[in-house]
Amino acid sequence: MDMTSLIASIPLFQGLSPGQCAQLAAIAVRKYHSKGQTFFLEGDEAEGFYIILAGRVKIFKLSPDGKEQIFHILEEHEPFGEAAVFAGSHYPASAQALAETPVLFFPTRKFVDLIRRDPTLALAMLALLSMRLRKLTALVENLSLKEVPGRLAAYLLVQCDGNSPLATISLDVSKNQMAALLGTIPETLSRILKRMSDEKLIKTGPRSITILDKRGLADLAEGNRKLG
Amino acid sequence: MDMTSLIASIPLFQGLSPGQCAQLAAIAVRKYHSKGQTFFLEGDEAEGFYIILAGRVKIFKLSPDGKEQIFHILEEHEPFGEAAVFAGSHYPASAQALAETPVLFFPTRKFVDLIRRDPTLALAMLALLSMRLRKLTALVENLSLKEVPGRLAAYLLVQCDGNSPLATISLDVSKNQMAALLGTIPETLSRILKRMSDEKLIKTGPRSITILDKRGLADLAEGNRKLG
DNA sequence: GTTGCGCCTTGACTTAAGTCAAACTTCAAT
DNA sequence: ATTGAAGTTTGACTTAAGTCAAGGCGCAAC
């Protein structure tokens, strides 16, 4: 696909005119990262932001003693690194490819120039940053105000909404990664999955989790209920 | 002060032309909230955002069983509620005045119209949201990757940087609020302040904390050291 | 196949931090 | 000054979740 139509197909850029897409196309750079490769590390000088064309990327931080907190796992068409473009000069977290991941790269300078001339684009970016803020707010809430069973319940409910009308979630992240996403460790996650199974809230399959009691999980997520 | 010069004096609007300030002035509404009054609650329909003229505002969430996590405590000239303007239609957290707090209110619809015509304003908002994202990222890091002494150390260091060249911090928030800001409870905070005093890292005064060992606190904040 | 290496689970133990309850301090208001 | 309410400290106890270590499972490569 040529660059302009590629850009036009990205949700973030919906609503832009063909001319505007062409301008974006003129500054975008195709890049390719293979599994495990990092896009940037926390603290790196920020030179631009990325949009995923395929594959998966995790945004994360490590503690000095090696614990990992994953902020997001992003997929096709999702942007990342965008917060560093408009304020501050270094990336606030690290980004690593979880699979073969082709991306588009937009250099800060040129992209900001475009925004200056294109309020539609500016509003799209504002909406994007606001969404991110919202997601991070939810993460803080989970970490600070819920215990691990509640976080897990909330996570499962979100996954099944976005994933399929049926209540079976195909696990596309390893349980290790899932633990890091929930701000805990694999052992704890394993134990809590077991407790949830015992209480018939879920059924754990080989690469999947089936939700048996949505109401029960919701109660858990909202703190109205505890695991036995 | 007339509205236009008031607006021109707000850092967020630095760099805007007098004409642009006048346009903002035309849509801004002065409001006044007294101590304890809420601006909005989590989940409320978002009708606009605010800029603080004086006083203090806390942005927070409550857990169902009453625990509070404070996201920010904001002061003069700082905006809040801005994330809800550009995406989603409800506020993601609650806002309450901690003192007598006059504010400017900007209604979503009219403000977005201005942005559409004014890329400088758009870039200012983008920078603002990016800063917020950065701060929230740091909060997640603190909650997930640091234990309470590390969070407290980081907090004290930030306060003394922004507060005075000297290493004495005048406590402008109650220790209750400080605990909620750090994602813990007053009892725990109290105990850890004591342990820090015991190790001569700080000295706690009546309404102040004096930093005795900046290096030691930094080590604590970065996880290179533990309290005895 | 079977070998080997991640991933996942399980158990016993430790620990940081929360809970509950009581006492003490501060400060503002009568 | 006295009262009272809120903020703060302290102690004894509980608990959620992390650590450490061992063992099992599943899958890919030879």
Side-chain angles (χ1 to χ4, degrees):
Chain A
M1 209 192 312
D2 77 289
M3 186 67 86
T4 304
S5 13
L6 188 57
I7 295 223
S9 74
I10 291 169
L12 175 63
F13 299 134
Q14 284 315 301
L16 296 192
S17 73
Q20 291 166 331
C21 289
Q23 287 188 299
L24 282 167
I27 67 166
V29 183
R30 275 178 204 263
K31 298 196 176 187
Y32 182 88
H33 282 238
S34 44
K35 184 172 175 171
Q37 216 182 336
T38 61
F39 290 90
F40 49 79
L41 294 177
E42 179 184 348
D44 280 1
E45 187 72 27
E47 280 142 11
F49 78 99
Y50 300 79
I51 293 182
I52 300 172
L53 296 179
R56 298 147 64 68
V57 173
K58 75 171 171 190
I59 310 297
F60 65 102
K61 282 202 185 215
L62 297 175
S63 79
D65 49 298
K67 189 185 171 192
E68 177 187 43
Q69 174 67 48
I70 298 180
F71 288 76
H72 312 281
I73 291 187
L74 301 169
E75 316 210 320
E76 194 185 4
H77 288 163
E78 296 195 89
F80 64 95
E82 72 286 338
V85 166
F86 304 107
S89 55
H90 60 275
Y91 295 108
S94 309
Q96 183 181 28
L98 293 178
E100 312 298 296
T101 305
V103 296
L104 291 181
F105 175 77
F106 297 84
T108 299
R109 200 77 52 88
K110 292 177 180 170
F111 187 74
V112 170
D113 283 346
L114 279 190
I115 286 211
R116 242 188 273 282
R117 284 186 259 110
D118 187 347
T120 319
L121 184 54
L123 281 170
M125 294 307 290
L126 284 167
L128 171 64
L129 291 186
S130 299
M131 281 305 294
R132 284 286 147 78
L133 230 20
R134 216 168 266 277
K135 281 191 74 175
L136 267 193
T137 302
L139 181 55
V140 170
E141 174 176 19
N142 286 339
L143 290 173
S144 172
L145 302 178
K146 294 191 172 95
E147 8 198 81
V148 181
R151 288 177 226 167
L152 175 56
Y155 175 81
L156 291 176
L157 290 172
V158 169
Q159 291 307 306
C160 96
D161 280 349
N163 202 300
S164 99
L166 206 100
T168 294
I169 300 157
S170 60
L171 284 193
D172 41 341
V173 294
S174 83
K175 288 183 182 164
N176 267 335
Q177 304 266 295
M178 201 167 144
L181 210 37
L182 296 174
T184 185
I185 55 172
E187 291 96 320
T188 299
L189 177 59
S190 181
R191 286 185 242 270
I192 290 173
L193 282 170
K194 185 149 193 280
R195 285 205 275 158
M196 284 187 176
S197 297
D198 290 350
E199 304 205 9
K200 305 270 179 281
L201 291 168
I202 59 172
K203 197 146 73 97
T204 63
R207 277 260 146 222
S208 72
I209 296 177
T210 304
I211 295 184
L212 301 179
D213 181 356
K214 221 162 183 165
R215 183 76 242 127
L217 283 180
D219 286 342
L220 211 54
E222 273 136 41
N224 306 323
R225 167 178 174 164
K226 300 241 164 198
L227 285 180
Chain B
M1 208 189 315
D2 77 287
M3 186 67 88
T4 304
S5 12
L6 188 57
I7 294 219
S9 74
I10 291 168
L12 176 63
F13 299 135
Q14 284 314 302
L16 295 192
S17 73
Q20 291 166 331
C21 289
Q23 287 188 299
L24 282 167
I27 67 166
V29 182
R30 275 177 204 264
K31 299 197 175 186
Y32 182 88
H33 283 239
S34 44
K35 184 171 173 170
Q37 215 182 336
T38 61
F39 290 90
F40 48 78
L41 293 178
E42 180 184 347
D44 280 1
E45 187 74 25
E47 280 142 11
F49 78 100
Y50 301 79
I51 293 182
I52 300 172
L53 296 178
R56 298 147 64 67
V57 173
K58 75 172 171 188
I59 310 296
F60 65 101
K61 282 203 186 214
L62 296 176
S63 79
D65 49 298
K67 189 185 170 193
E68 177 187 43
Q69 173 66 48
I70 299 181
F71 287 75
H72 313 281
I73 292 187
L74 300 169
E75 316 210 321
E76 192 185 6
H77 288 164
E78 297 194 89
F80 65 95
E82 73 286 338
V85 165
F86 304 107
S89 55
H90 60 277
Y91 294 108
S94 309
Q96 183 182 27
L98 294 178
E100 311 300 296
T101 305
V103 296
L104 291 181
F105 175 77
F106 297 85
T108 298
R109 199 77 52 86
K110 292 177 180 170
F111 187 75
V112 170
D113 283 346
L114 279 191
I115 285 211
R116 242 188 274 282
R117 285 186 259 110
D118 188 347
T120 319
L121 185 53
L123 281 171
M125 294 307 290
L126 284 167
L128 171 64
L129 292 185
S130 299
M131 281 304 294
R132 284 286 147 80
L133 230 20
R134 215 169 267 277
K135 281 191 73 174
L136 267 193
T137 303
L139 181 55
V140 170
E141 174 177 18
N142 286 340
L143 290 172
S144 172
L145 303 177
K146 294 190 172 91
E147 14 199 74
V148 181
R151 286 177 228 166
L152 175 55
Y155 175 80
L156 291 175
L157 291 171
V158 169
Q159 290 307 307
C160 95
D161 279 349
N163 201 301
S164 100
L166 206 100
T168 293
I169 300 157
S170 60
L171 283 193
D172 42 339
V173 295
S174 82
K175 289 182 183 166
N176 267 336
Q177 303 267 295
M178 201 166 141
L181 210 36
L182 296 174
T184 185
I185 55 173
E187 292 94 320
T188 299
L189 177 59
S190 180
R191 287 185 240 269
I192 290 173
L193 282 171
K194 184 148 193 280
R195 286 204 276 156
M196 284 187 177
S197 297
D198 290 348
E199 304 205 10
K200 305 269 180 279
L201 291 168
I202 60 172
K203 198 145 73 94
T204 63
R207 276 262 145 222
S208 73
I209 296 177
T210 304
I211 295 184
L212 301 178
D213 181 357
K214 220 161 183 167
R215 183 76 243 128
L217 284 179
D219 286 343
L220 211 54
E222 273 136 42
N224 306 323
R225 166 177 176 164
K226 301 244 164 195
L227 286 180

